[in-house]
Amino acid sequence: MPLIENWNEFAQAAEGLYLENPLACRLTMKYRHQDGKLVVKCTDNKACLLYQTEQANDIKKIEKLASQIMRHMASSEES
């Protein structure tokens, strides 16, 4: 599982992965207090995207991505 270090690349790839297969895609987050790191994972069981951060200001970016994906889920348009 390669780690994507650029947030913009990860966000675009994660959104594209969701749009490609919305029923199988999921976004998960894992925080390890010992390391002080938050890992965001987007997968559809075929492709897996990872982003890791130690910065507190990245939380807003992660919230924005999660809300974008939820907006896609709630829209009535077919992709």
Side-chain angles (χ1 to χ4, degrees):
M1 291 184 280
L3 188 65
I4 299 174
E5 296 188 17
N6 183 331
W7 171 255
N8 292 329
E9 288 177 19
F10 175 79
Q12 288 177 348
E15 191 171 357
L17 191 63
Y18 172 77
L19 292 174
E20 199 173 292
N21 192 356
L23 295 177
C25 188
R26 62 190 177 277
L27 184 71
T28 60
M29 291 173 256
K30 179 179 179 181
Y31 178 70
R32 285 188 42 95
H33 183 69
Q34 296 132 342
D35 302 333
K37 294 181 182 179
L38 177 69
V39 177
V40 183
K41 179 179 175 181
C42 185
T43 184
D44 67 352
N45 293 332
K46 294 177 186 167
C48 182
L49 308 170
L50 288 174
Y51 178 75
Q52 178 176 313
T53 186
E54 296 176 5
Q55 305 297 319
N57 57 357
D58 283 344
I59 301 298
K60 290 285 185 192
K61 294 176 187 176
I62 294 167
E63 285 179 21
K64 184 177 176 183
L65 174 65
S67 68
Q68 274 183 289
I69 290 176
M70 283 192 278
R71 242 182 274 124
H72 284 299
M73 290 176 187
S75 73
S76 59
E77 294 179 6
E78 291 288 323
S79 299

